[in-house]
Amino acid sequence: MINTQTAPVKTERKISPEFVRISAASAIALRLQSGRFSRDFDFGGINLLLNYENGCLSDCSYCGLARTRPGAYEEKSFIRVEWPLVETDRLIGRMKTHEDKLTRLCISMVTHGSAYRDTLEITKKLTSTLRTPLSILVAPPTLNTEKLQQFKDNGVDMIGVGLDAITEETFRQHRTNVPNGSLRWDNYWNIINESRRIFGPWKVNIHTVVGLGETDKDLIDMFVYLKEHQILPYLFSFNPEPDSRMAFSEKASITRWRRIQLVKHLIEKYEFPADAVSYDDQGMIRKMEIRGQSIAKAIEDLDAGIPFMTNGCPSEGGEEAGCSRPYGSYRPSESFRDFPFQPEMDDMQLIRTELALQEII
Ligand code: SF4
């Protein structure tokens, strides 16, 4: 006989691993929520987010999930979009039905005592049911080498690390410590280095945010460093979350953002030499020379809008981003900061104006 006094209540509380949140774009793509994208494009990247009653124990100043941001965790937005809650098994069943359309799966951890255990459990379910490559956007305070190895042994394809603030100074400024004291710059780099060792070249990515107080030089130096270490940088534009500590901070100007997108692409694809960029006293781009290898090809890419497309983990065997995170860096009502599809002719006209390349070349 079931003792109702002690019957499990975890499912009723709708927390992970039985429940997860998924991005609104994923919910629309899987027909779990009605809605449309503002333009038609194929979307097969499914982003899962762990869900707990007490949420994420980190308290980053720019993040919608921050511990001290007002509101219940379940109602908080993350990268400014809603994340509906779904039953994990139902979600996996739905993904199986739509598997031919899926390009990349990702579990976003949060800083929580159960996050590693629950992520591993969800990982096992996903990798035993679906062929789509799986990334984990990890929470370094919850991990160590053995746990990363467990992810690898259970079929995880790539590791993402949300470093976000790319200098030690901005990291300390924006990423307040969690109660157990492990949200530290050196701990993040330890997890990045161990992930790189365990998962191999181009299987680790770092989320980098433009607009947290870093200079252009800081960003460009970081892109060069990561390329040397065969780690991928993915670019995000800081986007103020209402009620967060940075709710009233300005995002990077569109011109700065476009130039950073362009230089990052040139470094990544064309051995663009870092000394081709010179900086003003504030460390912001003053001039750049387009030189180095394959200039003609780089200009072709620019004309096609490739540098302005969303960076994300690739689809299986593909070069193209399998995770294109629509609205990760801007509101649905705003123009695209990064494009989850190839920009069209009208988009390119606007991008060229925003870039104002003639001012720096
Ligand atoms: S790019 Fe997408 S799939 Fe890759 S780690 Fe980031 S959120 Fe996950």
Side-chain angles (χ1 to χ4, degrees):
M1 194 173 89
I2 296 174
N3 176 354
T4 51
Q5 295 294 306
T6 56
V9 290
K10 200 171 183 189
T11 304
E12 287 164 25
R13 284 159 53 211
K14 300 193 173 177
I15 59 173
S16 295
E18 284 84 6
F19 282 79
V20 287
R21 296 170 73 181
I22 56 172
S23 69
S26 305
I28 293 169
L30 291 172
R31 311 262 185 278
L32 286 164
Q33 180 174 301
S34 58
R36 297 190 55 192
F37 301 117
S38 57
R39 297 206 222 167
D40 274 343
F41 57 92
D42 290 334
F43 179 74
I46 305 296
N47 299 87
L48 286 64
L49 172 66
L50 297 184
N51 188 63
Y52 299 107
E53 281 175 336
N54 50 351
C56 182
L57 300 184
S58 297
D59 195 30
C60 307
S61 63
Y62 51 89
C63 182
L65 299 181
R67 179 163 38 99
T68 59
R69 184 185 175 211
Y73 176 75
E74 290 183 11
E75 270 135 42
K76 288 178 179 178
S77 58
F78 177 46
I79 56 172
R80 286 210 63 138
V81 288
E82 304 307 318
W83 289 67
L85 190 64
V86 290
E87 206 172 339
T88 309
D89 288 343
R90 177 170 174 241
L91 172 67
I92 293 175
R94 188 60 70 105
M95 288 198 281
K96 186 75 192 156
T97 310
H98 293 277
E99 192 172 10
D100 56 331
K101 300 212 166 45
L102 303 186
T103 50
R104 171 70 52 174
L105 312 178
C106 184
I107 309 171
S108 290
M109 299 178 78
V110 294
T111 307
H112 188 280
S114 306
Y116 165 69
R117 189 194 60 205
D118 295 340
T119 303
L120 188 62
E121 191 171 328
I122 297 167
T123 292
K124 288 176 183 171
K125 283 189 178 185
L126 289 171
T127 55
S128 61
T129 314
L130 299 155
R131 285 174 287 106
T132 318
L134 172 66
S135 300
I136 298 184
L137 180 58
V138 299
T142 67
L143 294 179
N144 58 28
T145 302
E146 291 70 37
K147 292 173 179 174
L148 286 168
Q149 186 65 52
Q150 276 292 320
F151 286 158
K152 172 81 176 156
D153 294 346
N154 281 282
V156 174
D157 176 55
M158 288 184 79
I159 292 292
V161 180
L163 185 68
D164 301 344
I166 54 108
T167 67
E168 186 165 2
E169 192 188 340
T170 54
F171 188 96
R172 281 176 193 274
Q173 187 185 346
H174 293 294
R175 311 205 66 177
T176 321
N177 224 337
V178 288
N180 75 0
S182 54
L183 205 159
R184 292 192 317 268
W185 175 256
D186 55 352
N187 185 31
Y188 265 64
W189 278 99
N190 180 38
I191 293 297
I192 292 168
N193 293 332
E194 284 299 274
S195 299
R196 168 64 184 82
R197 187 180 65 72
I198 293 168
F199 285 78
W202 311 119
K203 287 290 184 184
V204 177
N205 69 78
I206 308 291
H207 288 202
T208 60
V209 176
V210 179
L212 295 180
E214 73 296 319
T215 66
D216 291 351
K217 184 171 188 316
D218 293 331
L219 284 159
I220 290 168
D221 288 349
M222 178 61 81
F223 302 149
V224 171
Y225 175 86
L226 292 176
K227 181 169 186 185
E228 283 166 7
H229 290 80
Q230 298 170 303
I231 295 172
L232 295 158
Y234 295 159
L235 214 50
F236 289 73
S237 175
F238 161 69
N239 194 21
E241 298 264 7
D243 301 326
S244 66
R245 294 205 303 284
M246 289 187 75
F248 298 105
S249 301
E250 294 276 319
K251 55 168 78 175
S253 75
I254 190 72
T255 297
R256 178 181 184 217
W257 167 252
R258 292 280 179 239
R259 290 173 181 173
I260 293 293
Q261 283 180 304
L262 177 62
V263 176
K264 173 177 169 293
H265 181 79
L266 295 175
I267 290 169
E268 256 172 41
K269 301 284 181 206
Y270 299 111
E271 310 291 339
F272 182 66
D275 66 3
V277 181
S278 61
Y279 303 94
D280 64 17
D281 294 348
Q282 313 296 315
M284 298 303 187
I285 296 173
R286 189 169 56 85
K287 287 277 170 213
M288 68 186 248
E289 291 171 54
I290 299 285
R291 61 176 156 91
Q293 284 181 0
S294 315
I295 289 183
K297 186 77 184 71
I299 289 171
E300 244 174 64
D301 277 7
L302 175 59
D303 288 341
I306 309 295
F308 312 104
M309 292 177 69
T310 313
N311 310 139
C313 296
S315 49
E316 194 172 12
E319 279 268 300
E320 286 175 20
C323 166
S324 56
R325 304 180 313 270
Y327 315 124
S329 287
Y330 49 92
R331 283 179 245 172
S333 57
E334 291 173 327
S335 58
F336 291 87
R337 284 235 155 183
D338 45 28
F339 288 75
F341 49 83
Q342 195 167 342
E344 293 166 9
M345 214 157 13
D346 286 356
D347 300 317
M348 280 314 301
Q349 270 182 0
L350 182 61
I351 287 171
R352 284 182 183 287
T353 311
E354 292 167 343
L355 253 180
L357 216 45
Q358 69 286 355
E359 290 174 4
I360 54 166
I361 284 191

